[in-house]
Amino acid sequence: MKHRICMVSDFFFPNTGGVESHIFQLSQCLLQRGHKVVVVTHSYGDRVGVRYMTNNLKVYYVPFVVFYNGCVFPTVFGTMALIRYILIREQITIVHGHSAFSTMAHEALIHARAMDLKTVFTDHSLFGFADISSILTNKLLSFTLADINHVICVSHTSKENTVLRACLQPDIVSVIPNAVDSTIFMPDLTRRNPNRIAIVVVSRLVYRKGMDLLAGVIPVICQRHSDVDFLIGGDGPKRIDIEEVRENYQLQDRVRMLGALPHGNVKEVLNEGDIFLNTSLTEAFCIAIVEAACCGLQVVSTRVGGVPEVLPERFILLAEPSVKSLVEALEVAIARQREGSQVPAQQVYDTMKGIYTWENVAKRTEKIYDGIMEMPVLSLAERLERYNKLGFIAGKFFIIVAVVDLLLYWFFEWWVPRKNIDIIPDSFPPQSTGTSTQHMHILQNSAGTKDAADTCKSESREGALYTRRLRPRVGRKGDR
């Protein structure tokens, strides 16, 4: 069974990160397996309209206003017109939202259910239950997933967390881990300094990533081991804390701050190191430790979230999220490095490259798509009954939202009839000559620049028409 899939998230190229890479690589594999895939995300600067990426992956950069942390302003109903238009003209049968942080993913799933389309959601993060932010996010997630067809989590810990947060039945939640492109992340021992031991940290420098722990670990390790250096890639509000430690302890020549790294440069940084350190306070999966292992580094990480599930025990040293425990684990890794008793880099690579592959992720996701296509469509009464169970006040509010969204959908069915919407045939422009991996590498290196998404294919005439004509006329009757 071939599917027409719409991936929706606020997070996509030219932005870089785990969600962005996941959507891109999964889409590429699904395209290669014969499915139709389009991506819908918000505009980035002047990048508005339709763009084509590797293997003619079609991306809609819709002109929604970015509000906070890379997400669009939440309106629920304001996105109905464009989302409906895209789903109809692309003949989408499955809407797949990514990330609980993404406003667009939540709203697209709500609209898709009003249109009786199948829906899937992938949760990439762990959330708490006590603080105000988590409470509000969890309540919104419970509404979005109340009548979802299927949910995917990246680890068993993440599944347990999502089931509890959204009050889901466990049988509609599957675990499909992230993957790594082993053709990019490979060991290169020639880049290492045989006379020094380098500890690499590649992370967003934020509280959740345990930067306070890192600030406590650096001076202790540097004081005990004169041949150990730190190589830190990433940026964020906690960068100033690391720089203060470097200044206070006169470690400028032993702690290198690389700043924000394009994902395409991460491989080179990893291959300069011997030990990879992850100090996160919470992680659903942590793709960074998989990338580090593929490059042959010893991995030291906090024992949090889904991290213990990711690597075989012989490839990772786990520590409690405390300075003392992390220092003890690093001492073991440093001793192994000096003795040469660590697992050889090539052996780690040969093991890891067969464990986490995007082809496997795509096959398992495809089975979920096949399964939900056989599921019956819930009636409006069944949907409203599920919303009503979400709480005496919240349930009534969600019922109102769902009913208004459905009425808005019926309005647009009258105002802009389906027969007046140009249907895109299930065919694509000529195939790109580059490989997925090559173009992925190009995009990651140029992400954030004006022409990042143009490295594969420039904006088409269709994209220009979409930008110039669709937005101002989407609300007019008879628009084509």
Side-chain angles (χ1 to χ4, degrees):
M1 184 183 299
K2 301 305 178 185
H3 305 288
R4 301 182 182 92
I5 306 144
C6 179
M7 304 283 185
V8 186
S9 181
D10 285 285
F11 311 110
F12 196 64
F13 293 118
N15 195 32
T16 57
V19 177
E20 293 85 346
S21 298
H22 181 103
I23 296 173
F24 179 86
Q25 294 283 18
L26 175 59
S27 299
Q28 290 296 322
C29 290
L30 290 172
L31 284 173
Q32 292 171 4
R33 295 182 65 81
H35 303 286
K36 177 177 180 177
V37 184
V38 300
V39 178
V40 176
T41 188
H42 62 71
S43 58
Y44 286 85
D46 60 353
R47 187 175 292 107
V48 184
V50 178
R51 303 291 175 100
Y52 286 97
M53 299 175 70
T54 306
N55 294 327
N56 301 302
L57 173 62
K58 192 175 186 179
V59 184
Y60 284 85
Y61 290 95
V62 295
F64 295 156
V65 177
V66 177
F67 175 61
Y68 173 72
N69 201 24
C71 297
V72 302
F73 186 81
T75 62
V76 182
F77 311 118
T79 56
M80 166 61 87
L82 274 177
I83 294 296
R84 169 186 172 272
Y85 198 102
I86 293 170
L87 297 181
I88 292 175
R89 78 194 299 256
E90 296 289 349
Q91 304 179 79
I92 297 299
T93 56
I94 298 173
V95 176
H96 191 158
H98 292 263
S99 180
F101 290 107
S102 174
T103 303
M104 286 188 66
H106 287 288
E107 296 188 2
L109 292 173
I110 295 170
H111 303 328
R113 290 199 294 272
M115 300 172 67
D116 289 338
L117 300 178
K118 304 299 183 182
T119 52
V120 179
F121 177 76
T122 297
D123 200 354
H124 296 264
S125 303
L126 296 178
F127 283 82
F129 298 88
D131 59 284
I132 295 297
S133 175
S134 296
I135 292 172
L136 294 176
T137 302
N138 294 343
K139 185 59 71 173
L140 173 61
L141 189 68
S142 64
F143 169 49
T144 304
L145 304 186
D147 52 352
I148 199 83
N149 292 110
H150 207 87
V151 177
I152 299 172
C153 294
V154 294
S155 68
H156 292 281
T157 301
S158 176
K159 174 180 177 177
E160 181 179 348
N161 181 261
T162 301
V163 167
L164 292 174
R165 287 161 49 213
C167 303
L168 296 173
Q169 293 296 323
D171 57 350
I172 71 164
V173 184
S174 297
V175 176
I176 303 179
N178 277 316
V180 64
D181 191 338
S182 59
T183 62
I184 292 180
F185 292 93
M186 305 173 65
D188 182 4
L189 302 184
T190 62
R191 298 182 62 88
R192 298 184 182 179
N193 184 345
N195 300 317
R196 309 287 297 180
I197 297 176
I199 299 175
V200 178
V201 177
V202 178
S203 172
R204 291 190 302 275
L205 306 186
V206 297
Y207 172 78
R208 186 176 70 85
K209 293 295 185 178
M211 290 303 106
D212 294 327
L213 296 177
L214 179 61
V217 166
I218 289 175
V220 176
I221 292 297
C222 288
Q223 184 179 14
R224 293 183 182 181
H225 304 279
S226 59
D227 61 341
V228 174
D229 301 324
F230 281 83
L231 191 59
I232 302 174
D235 204 354
K238 286 291 183 178
R239 175 171 180 166
I240 189 172
D241 295 346
I242 307 299
E243 291 180 339
E244 284 180 354
V245 168
R246 187 174 66 164
E247 295 292 331
N248 293 339
Y249 290 89
Q250 300 296 307
L251 298 174
Q252 291 87 343
D253 58 335
R254 299 181 59 188
V255 179
R256 289 170 53 195
M257 304 291 293
L258 303 178
L261 291 174
H263 196 263
N265 294 348
V266 171
K267 176 190 71 173
E268 283 74 18
V269 174
L270 290 175
N271 276 314
E272 291 184 29
D274 303 285
I275 301 169
F276 183 84
L277 176 60
N278 172 52
T279 59
S280 293
L281 302 179
T282 174
E283 285 285 358
F285 182 83
C286 194
I287 191 65
I289 64 175
V290 180
E291 294 171 346
C294 281
C295 290
L297 280 73
Q298 293 190 74
V299 176
V300 175
S301 175
T302 46
R303 190 193 305 270
V304 296
V307 170
E309 304 175 28
V310 177
L311 297 178
E313 289 185 6
R314 65 184 185 278
F315 295 163
I316 186 170
L317 291 167
L318 294 172
E320 298 306 315
S322 69
V323 172
K324 179 181 178 181
S325 184
L326 284 168
V327 168
E328 291 174 352
L330 284 172
E331 293 278 8
V332 175
I334 292 170
R336 289 179 180 177
Q337 192 67 35
R338 289 189 177 131
E339 299 167 359
S341 60
Q342 77 276 18
V343 182
Q346 191 61 43
Q347 182 180 334
V348 178
Y349 173 76
D350 291 338
T351 302
M352 294 304 301
K353 71 178 182 180
I355 297 178
Y356 297 111
T357 66
W358 287 110
E359 291 76 12
N360 179 263
V361 172
K363 289 179 182 178
R364 295 168 69 175
T365 305
E366 184 182 62
K367 289 182 179 179
I368 290 174
Y369 293 158
D370 293 341
I372 65 175
M373 293 306 295
E374 305 299 325
M375 297 174 65
V377 177
L378 294 178
S379 66
L380 179 60
E382 291 173 318
R383 291 179 59 204
L384 298 184
E385 183 180 354
R386 293 192 180 190
Y387 299 148
N388 192 47
K389 295 178 180 179
L390 299 178
F392 179 76
I393 297 177
K396 304 300 185 293
F397 174 76
F398 292 147
I399 287 175
I400 294 173
V401 171
V403 170
V404 172
D405 193 66
L406 182 61
L407 293 174
L408 190 62
Y409 166 64
W410 288 344
F411 170 78
F412 281 113
E413 284 286 288
W414 168 77
W415 189 252
V416 188
R418 289 173 177 253
K419 64 180 181 181
N420 292 336
I421 297 177
D422 294 328
I423 301 300
I424 303 299
D426 292 338
S427 60
F428 299 91
Q431 289 290 308
S432 170
T433 57
T435 64
S436 172
T437 298
Q438 289 171 335
H439 281 290
M440 177 72 168
H441 187 68
I442 293 172
L443 284 171
Q444 289 166 341
N445 275 293
S446 58
T449 64
K450 179 179 180 182
D451 297 317
D454 297 342
T455 56
C456 297
K457 194 174 285 289
S458 61
E459 186 177 27
S460 64
R461 179 175 181 273
E462 177 189 350
L465 289 175
Y466 172 82
T467 306
R468 183 172 62 251
R469 188 186 65 179
L470 176 58
R471 180 170 60 166
R473 296 186 59 190
V474 72
R476 298 184 182 180
K477 187 175 181 181
D479 172 48
R480 296 197 64 178

